[in-house]
Amino acid sequence: MTSKIRPSKGAPYARILGVGGYRPTRVVPNEEILKHIDSTDEWIRSRSGIATRHWAGPDETVAEMSLAAGGKAIADAGISASDIDGVIVATVSHFKQTPAIATEIAHRIGAGMPPAFDISAGCAGFTYGLTLAKGMVTDGTARHVLVIGVERLSDLTDKEDRATAFLFGDGAGAVIVGPSDEPAMGPTVWGSDGEKSETIKQTVSWEVYRDTPAGDVRFPAITQEGQSVFRWAVFEMAKVAQEALDAAGITADQLDVFIPHQANMRIIDSMIKALKLPDHVAVARDVETTGNTSAASIPLAMERLLATGQAKSGDTALVIGFGAGLVYAATVVTLP
Amino acid sequence: MAATKEEIVSGLADIVNEIAGIPQEDVKLDKSFTDDLDVDSLSMVEVVVAAEEQFGVKIPDDDVKNLKTVGNAVDYILAAQA
């Protein structure tokens, strides 16, 4: 029996058509962090590789940073805002659970009334969004999807916690995923490990504030078990990254660029060792001047590698996001 | 076959040398990883994972913080092998 349902018809393949980023104006050096914690610049640099980060001002909201990054990505892709027929925003620091920020961004950026939604997948949020966008384009339910990773993690930073006060930064990164005649996004290797759901987390649940007199409970911050996260990120994520390379049929020798989530320089260095990446592979080290911007880190790092000439359009890049959940997603893409 | 105490010390010395650049002869039972051997909390994770592979044992995250000295690690690995 023949089905009566007419199937959707998408593009043969999908690709990243453009990338854009927004970094808040204010640069915060380690010296400023050290006003609130008993530590040293040398300690912070040796544990994290971070020298400076950007913290957003009152006007640099999640929406405004998203619009700035999204606008750049649209221009870079050479399309019009009205061509966008899908908007995905990955974030953990948009402080309204409803409505999603994606609808406001779709409207204000000039995309009309496309499907728009937020996703919560921690520092893997961008690569999760990338994967959903690819599916939408190849399925035919969208033709040009705006994927944004955006965070104001300074709002979720305990400035007096010497283990995390220096770690996080703010910013937004965006890409346009659109149709392609040839493969330009490999299979995504992704998953979660809920047994480790307490390893990276928000310290206080919002409902506590409903039941507690105002001012009695400190505003939540992101906290993590450093050693557990480090072990998982380096050794388990190196395996995932290798699986993504294998799934795409790309050898380390054929790889041009490696863009891991910018969590910590020590994680990046150890992953390179574990993956045995050859010297010719350009590695994103944006964490040094951007800090850990969770869902925004990969598109921000991608934009900077292209802007500084360390990577070029058409290069083959391995991207991997990993973080709170724990969740992860890795794939191989052609750079826009 | 389980490694002897001497083999474990020697193996750990090679691992610490590889990860932290400390001469093998400095890696002795009474030495503290963080205070004497320049192995910080993140490098310690790398030491632990390398030791797991070399000696075929499991060292869970919760136990890592108890391994203050080389002697602690050697005793842990000896017991875990048994």
Side-chain angles (χ1 to χ4, degrees), chain A residues 47 227-228 230-231 266 270, chain B residues 40-41 43 52 59 61:
Chain A
R47 294 310 194 283
Q227 283 187 319
S228 299
F230 184 79
R231 186 198 287 222
R266 294 279 293 275
S270 297
Chain B
D40 70 20
S41 63
S43 296
E52 282 186 336
I59 309 176
D61 291 336

Side-chain angles (χ1 to χ4, degrees), chain A residues 214-229:
Chain A
D216 279 13
V217 182
R218 195 182 183 130
F219 196 74
I222 298 171
T223 179
Q224 63 176 5
E225 294 167 24
Q227 283 187 319
S228 299
V229 173

Side-chain angles (χ1 to χ4, degrees), chain A residues 67-285:
Chain A
L67 288 166
K72 284 191 194 172
I74 290 167
D76 190 46
I79 63 167
S80 302
S82 57
D83 294 328
I84 290 168
D85 49 10
V87 176
I88 301 172
V89 177
T91 183
V92 297
S93 46
H94 164 54
F95 287 141
K96 271 188 188 163
Q97 274 174 309
T98 195
I101 192 80
T103 57
E104 179 188 333
I105 290 163
H107 169 68
R108 289 180 59 196
I109 213 161
M113 298 188 281
F117 56 98
D118 296 355
I119 54 175
S120 174
C123 304
F126 175 76
T127 34
Y128 267 59
L130 207 57
T131 302
L132 295 175
K134 179 181 74 168
M136 289 159 73
V137 169
T138 54
D139 179 62
T141 44
R143 193 158 170 86
H144 294 101
V145 182
L146 171 60
V147 181
I148 298 172
V150 56
E151 302 291 1
R152 273 181 62 113
L153 294 183
S154 59
D155 290 336
L156 288 170
T157 297
D158 180 348
K159 311 279 196 303
E160 294 170 355
D161 174 19
R162 68 189 301 276
T164 57
F166 57 87
L167 203 53
F168 301 115
D170 303 337
V175 297
I176 305 293
V177 176
S180 172
D181 293 331
E182 57 185 33
M185 298 176 81
T188 295
V189 177
W190 56 347
S192 66
D193 184 355
E195 193 186 341
K196 296 189 174 72
S197 62
E198 295 285 302
T199 335
I200 309 172
K201 64 178 180 184
Q202 177 176 321
T203 46
V204 186
S205 167
W206 297 122
E207 66 200 350
V208 170
Y209 298 90
R210 180 192 58 206
D211 307 328
T212 314
D216 279 13
V217 182
R218 195 182 183 130
F219 196 74
I222 298 171
T223 179
Q224 63 176 5
E225 294 167 24
Q227 283 187 319
S228 299
V229 173
F230 184 79
R231 186 198 287 222
W232 177 78
V234 172
F235 297 99
E236 297 308 314
M237 291 306 98
K239 291 178 208 161
V240 170
Q242 186 61 52
E243 283 176 38
L245 282 175
D246 294 344
I250 296 291
T251 65
D253 283 338
Q254 294 170 313
L255 191 67
D256 301 310
V257 185
F258 178 44
I259 313 178
H261 163 51
Q262 302 289 295
N264 177 321
M265 198 73 85
R266 294 279 293 275
I267 291 177
I268 296 169
D269 286 333
S270 297
M271 278 180 103
I272 294 166
K273 268 199 291 180
L275 276 168
K276 300 185 173 67
L277 286 187
D279 290 341
H280 76 263
V281 176
V283 177
R285 296 183 177 282

Side-chain angles (χ1 to χ4, degrees), chain A residues 279-292:
Chain A
D279 290 341
H280 76 263
V281 176
V283 177
R285 296 183 177 282
D286 197 34
V287 67
E288 183 181 3
T289 54
T290 307
N292 177 341

